[in-house]
C-alpha cells in the first residue's frame, strides 16, 4: 500500500527494513547543499563520493589458497586456507586455535627446510603457494613461554575459573544471541523442514504469544540464562609451592613447578623444563624436582598431552567440554582484544550460578604467570610504541593495512592498561608523585601512564568556571586528540589519551611525553608554541608553524594574531590554548586541544558571568563554566552553507557574463576527487551539478573554488586586546563570523531538527533502496534513549546544553514532539542526577559509594514506596572514615527534587513542571542513570509503587526461580542509627520480622553490586577501510553492482584485518552489508551477516543498546525472508522487550515493527493474532500521525484485509471505507490509491452482504456446506503501494495483483470468504489470549 508521491515504499512488496543508520529530520537544505565530503549525483540529488581509480601498483590482490601443515604428533597433518595478505602470525594463530593443534604454543614453522619469520607476510615466503607443505617444529621453552603455555592450557581445559577484573565488570562482553536466535546455517533440506514447522505453529506456541504491547518489560530479558557448568576435566592445576626453581636447578633448565590434581583424586608435582613437562618426585613436604621413575613417569612437550597421559578420564571429559563449547557461537566466546567489552547495567544476583564465585588457587598466581617474578614484562613505553607505529611507512596499501592494524591493536591495549590504572588511582591504590599538593592537583604515574584529575587543582581555570570548566576541558581535549589523530599528519605527534569517569571522579590518562617533566632553564620556556602561562606569555617557534597549519586548514581554524601581557603580537596557526612541545625524542607534540572551535557566544552572553564580578551569580547568568564551544559538526555545516553561497554567486555572475552561451560542459561525477572526506578537490574546481542550498542552479560546468576560504578564529571573545585599528577591524570581522555560525545554529539547525522530527514519514516509510542515506552513519529515525538523542544532536552540530531549547520547541500538540519532549526531559533529569551524585560520591571512600547511590536513587525513584527514605549506613565504617563527607545522608526527596530542578535550569535553561517526578518512567530513567554512572545493579523487578498498585507482569519470576517480595524486593532499611545491616523479610505479613521495622525501600546498597569505569578514548578510525567502504557505496548507487560488492567485501576484509572481528566498527559494517545484500536479494548472506552483527553489537556496544535492538529487528526480517519464521518471531519478541526497556511503550517508530510482526503471523496462518498486531499498529498511527493522515489510511487498508482474513467482514468494510475517505480527501478521486481502495471497498461490501445472506439461509436450512480451499491465499503485503505492482513475496507466493488490485472476480472472493467463514463455524477455535487486553 503506498502513496503516489513516494511517501510509502516497499521492498519487493514485502516487509520494510529498519536501518540503524536512517536519519531523522535530514533537512532539505542539508541534502541539497554542497558537502565538503560528498559530491552530488545530479539525477536525484543524493550526496555521494565519486570513485577514485586505484593505481595499478596500489591495488590489493588477495589470493586465498590451501596449504598443508605437517605436525610432530597426531593427526600429523592438517590443511589450512591462507591469504597472501595475511601475516605468518595469523597463520600461527589459526594453528593454535584448531582442536587438533590446541597443545602447540611454542613452535616455529619451516618451508623447504628454511625457518619462516613470524613477522612477515605469507606472500613474502619464498615458494609458498597452493598445496605447499610447511612443517611445524616444537621449540625449547623459555620461562615466559612456559608461563604462557600454562595460562593457555588452563583456559582450554576449563580450569581457569572466573576472573575478577578491575576494568571489566560482571558479565562483561555478554551475548544473549545463542539463547534468542541460534544460527547454524541451514541447508536447503533443513530450511524446508524449518518452514514446514513454522507453518504448523499454533497460536499459543508462537514466540509472540502473550506479548503485551504496553505491559512492563521483564528484567530477565537482559540476564544471562543459567548455564550448566561444563564437564570438569581436572580438579585443579596451579603453581606449586616449590616455585620458583632454585638457582642450581634453573641452571639445569627448570623453569617453574606445577601441581596437578586429576579427577581421579591423584596429585602430581610437575616440572616445566626447557624441553617440556614431566612428573617429578616432589611432594607437598619434600622437594625433589627430578623426573619420576616408572611406572608413573611421564613426559611431554605439551602440558595438555602430559595431563592426558596421567588421567584416564581426561580424554573423554575434554571431548565433552569441546562439544559443549562448540554449541555456542564462536563470536560469543572469543576474547575481546581490540575493544573494551560492554558492561551490562543489570546482572544476575550474586547468589546465582551465572555469577557464583568459584575457588581457584591459581587466580592470584595469574599475575605472576602473565608478568613474571619481577612483574616487569607488562611494563611498556607506551608513547614510544605509539609514535614509532605512527611513523611506519604508508606508501602502499599493504603498508597502510599493516600500519593501521598495529595502531588499532596498540591503542586498544593502551586504553585497557590506562583504564585499569585509572581505576586504581580513583580508589586510592596508587601513591601520588606530589603528595603534599591538594588532592585535585596530585599527579600519578602507573604502568608508564601519566594520570591527573579532571579538576582545577592549580587554578588554571579559575576565571573559566573552576572544576566544572576543567572537567569539560579534558573531555574536549580527548575529542581534539581524536580529531588530530584522524588527520594523521606526518611529523605531528599526539600522546595516547583517554579519560575515565569512575566513582564520581574524572581522570585523564596519557602516555608520557618525553621531556614533559624536564626542568627547564630559567630563560627557557616550558612549551615551544602557543600560550605558556595562560595568555600572558606566548611562544611562536617557527618550526611548529607548518605542521600546525595543516591541522588548522583541515579543522577550519584561522591563522590569527594574539597578544601577550606586554601587548606584543604573535601570529599563531591555532588557538593560544593549543600548545606545541618539542620532546626530548625530537618529535613535535601537539597538546591541550580543548579549544579547536570558538566559544559559543550566543550561549555565554545571556547565561554566563564571571563569579569574580559578583559575590553570587544572578540566576539568569549562573551557567557553571565558560568552556562552551561550538561543535566541529556545526562549523562544517556552516562551511557548506558558505560554499553554497559562493558557488551560487559564481553561477549568477557566469550567467550574467555568458547569457548568449548555452550549455556548459557536463560533469562526470566519477571524475571528481575527494581527499579524506575533508575537501572537494579537483584542480581547484567543484561540480556545479551539485544542488546548491536553496538554489535552483542546474548548470553543467565547473566553478573555481580556489578563491573560496572560510575559517574561524578560536580566540575571539577570550580577552584578547588588538592594538592597531586594522587589527581591531579584523578582530571584529572574526567575531562577526563566529556570531553568524551561532545564529545558524539557533535559526536553522535546531528549528529544522524539531520540524523534521514532526515529519511522520521516517518511522513508517523505511525502505531498502540503494541510496546513500541508507548507508550514512546515524541512528534510528526517532531517538530511543539518551545516547541516541545525544548522537542525533551531535551529528547536526547541536550541543547537549541546547536540549532544553529542544524540549521547549517540542511543547506542541504533536504526539511525536510530545514524545521527544518526554525523552529530552528524561535525559536532562538523568544528567542532572549524574552531576549531583558525582559531587557526593567523589568525596566518599569506595566502600560507602553504594550506600550513597542507593539513598539517592530511593529519593528519586522510590518516593511512592517510601516518601522518607533513610540512608543505610554502616556506622562502624562511618566512624572509621571520620574525615569523609557524609552530607548525602541529609538528602531528602524534596531536597533532591529541588536540586535536580536547579541543575536542569542552570545547565539546560529548562524549567521542569512541578509534577515531573510523578510522570517519569522509572525503569528507563534508572537505566539512563546506571549507564551514565557505570552502575551494575541486581537484575530484578524493582518495586517503585506500593503492592496495591500496578506491578510488572513478570513480577513473580525472578532469576533462579526466586519469588519477589510484594513490597520491598526482600529488603529493609536500618537507617542511620543502626550498627550493621540485617536482612529481614520486609513483607508486612512476615511472622519473623521484628516488632519495629523501618519502612521498605526500593533500593539497598546490596542492589548495587559493582561500579565500572566509563572510558572515552581517542582512537582514530581506519582511513583505508572507510575509503573502501565509501567507494563500494558509490558503486552500488551508480548501479555498478559487481564492482560495488567487490569493494564492500574488500572493506569488510580490511575492517576485520585492522580492528579484529570483535569491534563496534566491524559490527556496523556487518549491519550495513546485511541490509545491502537483503536489498540485492541475497538473503542467506544477509542472514549470516545479521547474526554476526547482533553478536558483536551485544558484546561491544551493549546487550540493550539501540543499535543492538535494531540489529535484532533486521535479523528478524532476514530470517523471515528465508522462511525461518519461528526464529524471526523470537528475534522480534526479544527486540520488542528491549524496546520496552530502552524507551517504554508506543515509541513513534514501532508502527513498522508491529506491521512486520503482523505479516509474519499471517505467513504462518495465524490470522487472528496477525489482526491484533495490525490493530495495534493502526492505533499508534492514529495517535502519532492523526486519524486523517496518509499513513493511517495505509494501515487502515492493510487492517481491512487482515479483518477479512479473520472473518470480521463488517470491520473490514468499515476500515476500508476509512482508508478510501482519507485517500479521496487527501489525494483526490483520480489517484491510484483512491481507486484501489474504492475497488476493494466495493468488493468487501458485496462480499459482506452476500455472506450475511448466506448465513441467514444456512440458519434457516441448517445445512452444513463443504469446506472449499481457496484458489489463491488472500494475504496482506505490508506497506504495498496502492495502485502499483509489487514483486513476489518472501514466501514465494504470487503478488495479490499486478498493479495492486486483486485479480479474482467478486464471485470468487465471495466463495473464498464464505468457505473460510464456514470452516471456522465448523471447527470452533480455542479462546485466544488478546495481547491488548493486558494494556495498562
Amino acid at each position: 500500500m503506498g502513496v503516489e508521491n513516494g511517501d510509502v515504499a516497499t521492498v519487493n512488496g514485502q516487509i520494510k527494513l529498519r536501518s540503524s543508520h536512517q536519519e531523522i529530520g535530514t533537512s532539505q537544505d542539508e541534502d541539497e547543499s554542497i558537502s565538503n565530503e560528498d559530491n552530488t549525483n545530479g539525477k536525484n540529488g543524493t550526496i555521494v563520493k565519486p570513485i577514485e581509480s586505484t593505481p595499478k601498483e596500489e591495488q590489493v590482490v588477495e589470493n586465498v589458497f590451501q596449504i598443508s601443515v605437517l605436525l610432530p604428533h597426531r593427526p600429523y597433518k592438517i590443511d589450512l586456507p591462507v591469504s597472501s595478505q595475511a601475516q605468518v602470525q595469523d597463520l600461527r594463530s589459526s594453528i593454535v586455535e584448531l582442536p587438533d593443534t590446541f597443545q602447540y604454543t611454542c613452535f616455529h614453522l619451516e618451508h623447504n627446510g628454511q625457518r619462516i619469520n613470524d613477522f612477515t607476510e605469507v606472500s613474502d615466503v619464498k615458494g609458498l603457494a597452493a598445496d605447499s607443505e610447511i612443517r611445524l617444529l616444537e621449540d625449547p621453552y623459555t620461562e615466559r613461554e612456559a608461563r604462557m603455555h600454562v595460562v593457555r592450557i588452563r583456559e582450554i581445559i576449563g580450569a581457569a575459573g572466573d576472573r575478577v577484573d578491575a576494568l571489566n565488570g560482571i558479565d562483561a562482553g555478554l551475548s544473549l544471541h545463542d539463547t534468542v536466535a541460534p544460527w547454524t546455517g541451514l541447508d536447503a533440506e533443513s530450511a524446508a523442514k524449518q518452514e514446514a514447522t513454522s507453518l504448523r505453529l499454533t497460536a499459543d506456541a508462537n514466540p509472540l504469544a502473550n506479548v503485551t504491547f504496553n505491559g512492563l518489560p521483564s528484567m530477565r530479558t537482559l540476564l544471562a540464562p543459567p548455564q550448566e557448568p561444563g564437564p570438569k576435566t581436572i580438579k585443579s592445576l596451579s603453581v606449586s609451592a616449590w616455585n620458583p626453581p632454585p638457582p642450581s636447578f634453573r641452571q639445569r633448565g627448570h623453569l617453574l613447578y606445577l601441581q596437578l590434581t586429576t579427577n581421579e583424586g591423584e596429585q602430581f608435582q610437575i616440572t616445566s623444563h626447557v624441553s617440556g613437562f614431566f612428573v617429578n618426585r616432589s611432594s607437598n613436604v619434600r622437594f625433589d624436582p627430578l623426573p619420576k621413575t616408572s611406572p608413573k613417569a611421564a613426559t611431554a612437550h605439551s602440558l595438555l598431552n602430559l595431563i592426558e597421559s596421567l588421567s584416564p578420564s581426561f580424554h573423554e571429559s575434554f571431548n565433552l567440554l569441546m562439544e559443549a563449547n562448540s554449541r555456542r557461537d564462536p563470536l560469543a566466546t572469543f576474547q575481546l582484544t581490540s575493544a573494551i567489552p560492554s558492561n551490562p547495567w543489570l546482572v544476575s544476583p550474586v547468589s546465582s550460578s551465572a555469577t557464583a564465585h568459584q575457588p581457584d588457587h591459581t587466580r592470584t598466581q595469574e599475575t605472576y604467570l602473565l608478568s613474571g617474578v619481577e612483574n616487569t614484562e607488562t611494563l611498556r613505553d607506551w608513547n614510544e610504541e605509539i609514535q614509532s607505529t605512527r611513523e611506519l611507512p604508508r606508501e602502499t596499501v599493504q603498508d597502510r593495512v599493516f600500519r593501521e592494524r598495529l595502531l588499532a591493536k596498540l591503542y586498544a591495549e593502551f586504553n585497557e592498561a590506562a583504564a585499569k590504572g585509572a581505576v586504581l588511582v580513583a580508589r586510592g591504590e596508587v601513591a601520588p608523585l606530589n603528595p603534599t599538593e591538594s588532592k585535585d592537583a596530585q599527579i600519578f604515574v602507573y604502568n608508564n601512564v601519566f594520570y591527573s584529575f579532571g579538576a582545577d587543582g592549580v587554578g588554571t581555570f579559575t576565571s573559566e568556571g573552576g572544576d566544572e570548566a576543567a572537567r569539560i576541558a579534558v573531555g574536549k581535549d580527548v575529542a581534539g586528540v581524536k580529531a588530530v589523530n584522524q588527520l594523521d599528519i606526518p611529523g605531528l605527534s599526539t600522546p595516547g589519551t583517554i579519560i575515565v569517569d569512575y566513582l564520581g571522579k574524572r581522570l585523564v590518562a596519557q602516555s608520557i611525553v618525553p621531556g614533559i617533566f624536564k626542568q627547564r632553564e630559567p630563560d627557557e620556556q616550558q612549551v615551544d608554541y602557543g600560550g605558556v602561562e595562560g595568555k600572558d606569555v606566548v611562544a611562536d617557534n617557527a618550526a611548529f608553524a607548518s605542521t600546525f597549519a595543516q591541522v588548522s586548514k583541515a579543522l577550519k581554524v584561522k591563522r590569527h594574531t594574539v597578544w601577550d601581557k606586554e601587548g606584543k603580537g604573535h601570529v599563531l596557526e591555532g588557538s593560544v590554548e593549543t600548545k606545541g612541545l618539542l620532546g626530548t625524542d625530537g618529535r613535535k607534540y601537539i597538546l591541550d586541544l580543548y579549544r579547536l572551535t570558538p566559544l559559543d557566544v550566543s550561549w555565554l552572553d545571556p547565561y554566563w558571568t564571571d563569579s569574580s564580578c559578583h559575590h553570587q551569580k544572578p540566576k539568569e547568568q549562573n551557567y557553571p563554566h565558560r568552556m562552551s564551544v561550538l561543535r566541529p559538526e556545526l562549523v562544517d555545516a556552516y562551511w557548506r552553507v558558505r560554499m553554497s553561497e559562493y558557488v551560487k554567486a559564481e553561477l549568477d555572475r557566469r550567467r550574467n557574463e555568458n547569457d548568449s552561451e548555452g550549455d556548459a560542459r557536463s560533469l562526470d561525477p566519477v571524475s571528481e576527487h575527494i581527499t579524506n572526506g575533508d575537501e572537494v578537490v579537483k584542480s581547484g574546481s567543484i561540480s556545479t551539478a551539485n544542488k546548491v542550498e536553496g538554489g535552483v542552479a542546474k548548470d553543467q560546468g565547473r566553478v573555481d573554488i580556489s578563491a573560496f576560504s572560510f575559517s574561524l578564529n578560536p580566540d575571539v571573545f577570550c580577552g584578547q586586546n588588538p592594538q592597531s585599528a586594522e587589527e581591531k577591524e579584523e578582530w571584529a570581522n572574526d567575531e562577526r563570523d563566529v556570531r553568524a555560525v551561532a545564529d545558524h545554529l539557533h535559526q536553522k539547525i535546531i528549528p529544522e531538527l524539531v520540524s523534521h522530527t514532526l515529519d511522520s514519514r521516517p518511522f513508517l516509510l523505511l525502505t531498502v533502496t540503494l541510496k546513500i542515506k541508507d548507508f550514512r552513519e546515524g541512528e534510528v529515525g526517532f531517538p530511543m534513549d539518551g545516547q541516541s538523542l545525544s548522537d542525533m544532536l551531535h551529528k547536526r552540530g547541536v550541543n547537549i546544553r541546547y536540549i532544553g531549547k529542544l524540549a521547549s520547541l517540542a511543547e506542541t500538540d504533536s504526539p511525536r514532539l510530545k514524545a521527544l519532549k518526554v525523552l529530552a526531559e528524561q535525559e536532562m533529569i538523568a544528567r542532572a542526577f549524574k552531576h549531583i551524585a558525582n559531587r557526593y560520591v567523589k568525596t566518599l571512600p569506595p566502600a560507602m559509594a553504594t550506600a550513597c547511590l542507593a539513598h539517592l536513587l530511593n529519593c528519586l525513584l522510590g518516593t511512592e514506596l517510601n516518601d522518607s527514605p533513610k540512608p543505610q549506613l554502616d556506622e562502624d565504617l562511618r566512624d572509621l572514615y571520620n574525615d569523609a563527607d557524609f552530607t548525602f545522608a541529609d538528602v531528602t526527596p524534596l531536597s533532591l527534587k529541588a536540586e535536580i530542578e536547579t541543575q536542569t535550569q542552570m545547565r539546560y535553561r529548562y524549567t521542569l513542571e512541578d509534577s515531573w517526578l510523578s510522570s517519569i518512567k522509572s525503569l528507563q530513567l534508572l537505566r539512563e542513570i546506571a549507564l551514565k554512572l557505570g552502575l551494575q545493579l541486581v537484575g530484578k523487578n524493582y518495586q517503585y509503587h506500593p503492592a496495591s498498585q500496578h506491578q510488572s507482569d513478570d513480577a513473580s519470576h525472578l532469576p533462579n526461580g526466586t519469588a519477589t517480595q510484594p513490597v520491598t524486593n526482600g529488603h529493609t532499611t536500618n537507617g542511620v542509627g543502626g550498627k550493621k545491616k540485617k536482612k529481614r523479610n520486609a513483607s508486612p505479613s512476615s511472622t519473623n520480622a521484628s516488632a519495629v521495622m523501618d519502612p521498605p525501600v526500593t533500593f539497598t546498597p546490596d542492589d548495587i553490586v559493582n561500579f565500572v569505569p566509563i572510558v572515552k578514548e581517542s582512537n582514530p578510525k581506519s582511513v583505508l577501510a572507510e575509503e573502501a567502504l565509501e567507494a563500494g557505496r558509490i558503486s552500488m548507487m551508480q548501479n555498478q553492482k559487481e564492482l560495488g560488492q567487490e569493494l564492500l567485501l574488500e572493506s569488510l576484509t580490511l575492517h576485520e584485518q585492522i580492528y579484529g572481528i570483535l569491534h563496534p566498527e566491524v559490527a556496523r559494517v556487518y549491519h550495513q552489508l546485511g541490509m545491502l545484500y537483503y536489498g540485492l536479494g541475497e538473503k542467506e548472506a544477509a542472514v549470516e551477516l545479521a547474526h554476526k552483527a547482533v553478536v558483536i553489537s551485544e558484546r561491544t556496544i551493549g546487550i540493550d543498546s539501540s543499535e543492538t535492538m535494531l540489529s535484532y529487528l533486521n535479523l528478524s526480517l532476514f530470517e523471515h525472508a528465508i522462511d525461518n519464521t519461528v526464529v524471526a518471531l523470537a528475534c522480534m519478541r526479544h527486540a520488542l522487550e528491549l524496546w520496552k526497556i530502552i524507551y517504554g511503550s508506543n515509541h513513534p517508530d514501532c508502527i513498522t515493527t508491529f506491521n512486520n510482526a503482523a505479516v509474519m503471523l499471517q505467513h504462518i496462518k495465524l490470522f487472528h493474532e496477525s489482526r491484533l498486531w495490525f490493530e495495534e499498529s493502526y492505533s499508534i498511527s492514529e495517535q502519532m500521525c492523526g486519524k486523517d493522515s496518509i499513513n493511517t489510511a495505509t494501515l487502515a487498508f492493510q487492517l481491512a484485509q487482515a479483518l477479512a482474513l479473520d472473518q470480521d467482514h463488517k470491520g473490514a468494510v468499515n476500515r476500508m471505507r476509512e482508508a478510501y475517505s482519507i485517500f479521496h480527501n487527501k489525494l483526490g478521486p483520480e489517484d491510484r490509491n483512491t481507486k484501489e481502495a474504492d475497488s476493494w471497498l466495493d468488493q468487501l461490501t458485496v462480499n459482506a452482504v452476500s455472506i450475511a445472506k448466506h448465513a441467514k439461509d444456512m440458519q434457516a436450512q441448517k445445512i452444513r456446506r463443504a469446506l472449499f480451499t481457496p484458489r489463491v491465499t488472500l494475504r496482506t503485503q505490508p506497506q504495498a503501494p496502492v495502485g502499483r505492482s509489487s514483486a513476489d513475496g518472501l514466501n514465494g507466493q504470487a503478488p495479490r495483483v499486478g498493479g495492486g488490485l486483486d485479480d479474482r472476480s467478486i464471485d470468487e472472493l465471495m466463495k473464498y470468504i464464505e468457505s473460510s467463514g464456514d470452516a471456522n463455524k465448523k471447527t470452533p477455535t480455542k479462546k485466544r489470549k488478546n495481547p491488548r487486553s493486558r494494556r495498562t
Side-chain angles (χ1 to χ4, degrees), residues 567-608:
K568 181 182 177 181
H570 302 266
V571 178
L572 297 180
E573 295 289 347
S575 169
V576 69
E577 305 291 351
T578 302
K579 299 172 177 59
L581 175 68
L582 186 62
T584 55
D585 57 357
R587 297 185 178 100
K588 298 173 185 176
Y589 292 88
I590 184 170
L591 308 171
D592 293 349
L593 295 164
Y594 54 82
R595 191 171 288 170
L596 294 177
T597 55
L599 295 175
D600 185 359
V601 65
S602 65
W603 180 272
L604 294 176
D605 279 352
Y607 303 135
W608 160 265

Side-chain angles (χ1 to χ4, degrees), residues 932-992:
K932 286 176 172 55
L933 292 175
L935 306 182
Q936 288 192 302
L937 304 168
V938 173
K940 62 181 180 182
N941 297 293
Y942 290 97
Q943 197 72 37
Y944 303 104
H945 311 284
S948 58
Q949 297 190 20
H950 173 77
Q951 297 184 15
S952 169
D953 62 291
D954 196 55
S956 60
H957 301 286
L958 285 183
N960 308 317
T962 306
T964 61
Q965 295 295 332
V967 176
T968 65
N969 308 311
H971 297 299
T972 57
T973 63
N974 296 77
V976 178
K979 279 285 181 183
K980 291 187 178 181
K981 295 176 288 183
K982 296 180 181 179
K983 293 185 178 181
R984 303 170 182 158
N985 185 349
S987 172
S989 61
S990 173
T991 59
N992 298 325

